[in-house]
Amino acid sequence: MPDLHHLPPELSSFVGRAGDVKAIGAAVAAGRVLTLVGPGGCGKTRLAIRAGREWPEVFWVGLESESDADRVAHRVADALDVLLPSGLDPLRALVAALRDRELLVVIDNCEHVLAGAAEVIAALLAGCPGIAVLATSRATLGITGERVWRVPPLELADALELLLERSGAEGPEARAAARRVCDRLDRLPLALELAAGWTGTLSMAQIADSLGSPLAMLDGGARTAPFRQQTLDGSMRWSHDLLDEDERVLFRRLAVFEPGFSADDVVALSGAATLKALRGLIDKSLVVADTTGAAASYRMLGVVRAYALDRLDEAEETAEFRDRHLDLQLALLERLTPLLESDKDTWRARVGAAYPDIRAAIEWGLSHEDASRGRRLAAACSWLWHLEGRGGEGIELLRRAAGRGADERTILQADVLAALALVGDTGLPGIEAYQVAHAARELAVEVGASGAGRISRALTAVGQLMVGLDAAIAEAEAARDEALRAGDAFVADSAEVFIGLVHVLADDYPEAIARLEAAVAGPLARGDRGVAALALGWLALASARTGDLRRAGELAEQAVDTAAPLRDFHWTGSTRCVLAEIRVLQGRPADAVAALEPIDRLLSGDLPFITGWERTKAMLALEDGHPAEAVEWCRREGRWQPVPSDEGLAPETRLVLATALRRAGDREAAAQTLQALGEAPLTPSMPRIRAGVLDEQALLARDDDTERALRLHHEALRIRIDHGLVLGFLASLESLAELSRLRGAHEAAGLLAAAAERARVDFGAAPRPSGADLREAMDVRTAVAYAAKARGPRRRPDAGWESLTPAELSVVELAVQGLNNVEIAARLFVGRGTVKTHLAHVYAKLQVANRTDLARLATERRGPG
């Protein structure tokens, strides 16, 4: 069973406070917030960890390194593994995602972003009745319903135990001196830890003597501060003053890291000689060492880091060491660059772990008069923002970086614009993303920025879809060829995937499948999960439309699994929409709903654009018999347009909209939608859409003009035959079966309906409860040929005696004479199934239902005598 206690490790023993832990545990309840309030170092965090253990499921949110109140919702979402849409209201989406959950959220160090923490906690309590919140802060949150637990000093016995255990001091004299230390440090846990850190240098009695009286220790402190905060400030100052010079220097310089660092970071910042000083800071409890992972890491507690930052300012070294910190992040990303071509998963993990430092360094670099280093770092980080759920933040920082170089015509500015285009590909509205990519391409060509030029050229190919499919393919092929010459595997594969996508749009499925299958291997091997997931999704759709719904389902599941580690709303949402569409085609609407559930859970009315989401929701509404709801879903797709209109919807969505309007009874609007779609610029190059338009127009004509309906259905079938739109055969067979039934040709209707049901099963869709014996049903190819021949050669009329073929006339002559199918087959040297098929064609063309009607009609045609 998985561990549901997502709490930080306790790196030292927990001493005392048993009564406090029990009382806090009893006070924490669903729908309520309990805030542990006290000065820094009083033990709030350790109390919260201990109390959290009592809940069945608990998540930890640490805010010690957060300075942006608007990011609190994202920090909570990250901790709870909730996907948030970029650029929109994250808090509403977070509440929607957690609405039905029952768990405890512990939010530590709220004082850093008090207003943001208060807003998030209030929203969670208002919208998530099963959520309990335990917060720690130096100040109360000030929200309705907040219960406050002011953390007291340790009991004297507990304080003594903590000090003696941490120091290792023993004996009556040490215990007596330890009591004096506890009195002088107000039994404050962090202050006691700091004092204990000196027992390798000083005896307990020397420590007690050096502390003096509490008031003497506080010289220079703010007299208006709460007493225990003054105690901590004093103990920090006392501990700092006892450090040797190397330790004091390293102590203040380490404060530039956000929030942790490695031994390599220390060496890079201040040299190998400082590792001895690091050891001293760990021994004196000013730095916490975490050796639970594969490699040791180090950090300062928030209150300690704040003191160290003050010392850095005091030494007038802030600018110098923040600059060094910025250079370290630039060097890190430069060292990791080869992984972008070989193992992007590892690149993401390494850069993601360093992201708090990278983000702080970018902010620092962009604040300089010369912002070039900050801009370089922002451009280098673009892949993380492109792939993971930080796109909104990336776009904001890259826009600032681009703005700082707006007057430049340089390689750096081209790199920044190309980075913005890359992140904007999934985070900006389509036209804006294309404009940025186009600007990046123009500048890259002008200044010779080859890398930026290649990636921006590939991105501009997407914009060419607005011109036409051929233009998009031509631009993508040029981008691919340029990338191949330069050895740029990512751009080459991405362009090839896009070409495959365009072939899917053009309904050239064999070509699309061949290209996508060949192009997906490279991205999968490199960890280019975004491109790989896109390729797998479109490969699934192409497979589905060739009638292989089983493979389509497998590919769609693989696309979802490929995108999942990115924890990005765009990639996850896009692949889940493909999976849901495949499930609808498979006749599994409940599974389609389940596929969309992680997206729907975040429904706030302002979801970002996710390709196919609204259309799939509309398809599900139609499956449920709610056409009016389907109309609303289709039109929601248009909310991203400057002026929303049906003409701006994707062609596939407009076709679903027409179906929904017809089923909702608005036949005039459906007809207008179909006419506009038929005349749209892209429709001539999209056979599936053309056939769909004809089918829908036939359904509108069916009640008033069955001849026109028949002609339109057959024209749709012809298009599907000509272009190998195998899945579309199913719609044609079902439509023609129903039209045959309405025309009274029940035998033909039965044949076509049975063939359609067999095709459904053969394709890999769930069978419908028709009761038909599918063992005798025609296979889909035979049925399509049968349906197509029912109209005869195109030079014949659609119906009447003149529409019958010579073979059909021969069958009619023998049937009128009274011969049964076996006898007719023997006379004509054909199979019984062929006779049955010919008769079905005859019934459809002559609009008769049985042999009796056929004999009567034949007699009337011959006339008297």
Side-chain angles (χ1 to χ4, degrees), residues 337-508:
T337 296
L339 289 175
L340 288 172
E341 288 296 327
S342 60
D343 187 355
K344 204 160 279 176
D345 277 344
T346 298
W347 185 92
R348 279 192 309 106
R350 295 280 301 277
V351 176
Y355 184 67
D357 278 307
I358 292 170
R359 182 177 182 273
I362 293 171
E363 293 275 9
W364 174 257
L366 293 180
S367 70
H368 280 19
E369 182 176 351
D370 178 4
S372 58
R373 287 183 300 165
R375 293 164 63 211
R376 282 172 50 207
L377 186 57
C381 195
S382 59
W383 283 107
L384 191 72
W385 294 320
H386 170 70
L387 289 169
E388 293 194 349
R390 300 182 173 101
E393 185 172 54
I395 287 172
E396 176 192 347
L397 290 170
L398 285 166
R399 276 176 166 160
R400 286 172 55 192
R404 292 301 309 273
D407 297 330
E408 294 181 9
R409 307 296 290 177
T410 62
I411 290 177
L412 175 56
Q413 182 68 356
D415 289 341
V416 170
L417 288 175
L420 179 56
L422 177 66
V423 181
D425 183 47
T426 58
L428 289 174
I431 187 65
E432 184 178 353
Y434 171 71
Q435 289 169 343
V436 173
H438 184 69
R441 171 66 180 172
E442 280 193 337
L443 181 56
V445 170
E446 176 186 329
V447 300
S450 56
R454 289 192 299 273
I455 196 164
S456 56
R457 183 170 197 175
L459 292 168
T460 57
V462 179
Q464 291 298 311
L465 285 173
M466 294 181 287
V467 179
L469 301 186
D470 290 342
I473 288 178
E475 184 67 16
E477 287 177 340
R480 178 202 59 200
D481 294 344
E482 180 180 336
L484 287 172
R485 288 192 296 272
D488 191 331
F490 170 79
V491 172
D493 287 340
S494 298
E496 188 68 12
V497 167
F498 178 71
I499 293 168
L501 180 158
V502 177
H503 281 292
V504 175
L505 294 177
D507 302 314
D508 185 356

Side-chain angles (χ1 to χ4, degrees), residues 30-117:
R32 303 290 298 274
V33 57
L34 177 68
T35 307
L36 307 185
V37 176
C42 72
K44 302 184 295 295
T45 297
R46 292 298 295 271
L47 267 175
I49 292 173
R50 281 281 153 160
R53 289 181 169 184
E54 304 302 313
W55 270 70
E57 186 173 11
V58 57
F59 290 85
W60 185 270
V61 183
L63 300 179
E64 65 276 2
S65 63
E66 188 56 72
S67 59
D68 185 350
D70 294 334
R71 291 284 303 169
V72 176
H74 289 88
R75 295 296 291 268
V76 175
D78 288 345
L80 274 71
D81 199 25
V82 170
L83 301 181
L84 293 184
S86 298
L88 300 173
D89 185 353
L91 188 51
R92 288 168 60 188
L94 178 66
V95 170
L98 300 178
R99 186 178 295 123
D100 301 322
R101 300 281 294 276
E102 295 181 358
L103 50 87
L104 170 66
V105 180
V106 183
I107 305 182
D108 190 36
N109 287 302
C110 292
E111 68 275 359
H112 292 282
V113 278
L114 196 62

